[in-house]
Amino acid sequence: MPRYKLVALTTPLPGRENDYHEWYNTKHLPELVNKFGMNGAQRYELVAKLIGNDANPYLAIYDIECDDPMALLGAIGKATAAGELTQSDASDMASCYTALFTELGEPVLPA
């Protein structure tokens, strides 16, 4: 089955950092992983910027295996619109970036 990475780069609203992290860690990640059969998800915090100009300090990576990724994204959209996923008003939606990637080539491992 094809494997994908759904990535989200996000920023909390000023003064709402605690609400944002609480929602992301206890609601958002578990709901997406469990409701849509994802293999897992993990969050990361920016340590150093090497190149580029994206200002989002937080990254979430969701591990997905499915035959129809567009159907999965559609199901997530429908669940969101139907109020089946917990929403947060603590995230800066104007700055977020979300994208779906498929594997390209084999992993490079140490020799």
Side-chain angles (χ1 to χ4, degrees):
M1 188 173 308
R3 294 186 294 192
Y4 302 90
K5 299 286 187 188
L6 179 65
V7 300
L9 292 152
T10 58
T11 300
L13 290 172
R16 300 290 310 277
E17 291 85 358
N18 290 339
D19 295 333
Y20 163 85
H21 292 300
E22 174 72 18
W23 165 76
Y24 224 115
N25 293 333
T26 67
K27 302 287 188 223
H28 192 60
L29 289 181
E31 286 179 358
L32 286 179
V33 168
N34 293 309
K35 184 171 183 65
F36 299 102
M38 296 179 182
N39 291 342
Q42 187 169 2
R43 293 184 67 214
Y44 300 86
E45 183 175 10
L46 181 66
V47 173
K49 213 178 271 194
L50 303 178
I51 201 167
N53 61 4
D54 189 286
N56 291 295
Y58 299 104
L59 166 69
I61 301 177
Y62 304 83
D63 295 315
I64 299 167
E65 286 186 49
C66 67
D67 288 323
D68 189 349
M70 302 327 285
L72 173 67
L73 295 179
I76 293 170
K78 286 180 185 175
T80 301
E84 297 172 6
L85 299 175
T86 305
Q87 299 300 305
S88 172
D89 61 356
S91 185
D92 180 0
M93 295 307 289
S95 68
C96 74
Y97 169 80
T98 304
L100 182 68
F101 293 85
T102 189
E103 291 183 333
L104 181 63
E106 296 297 319
V108 175
L109 303 172

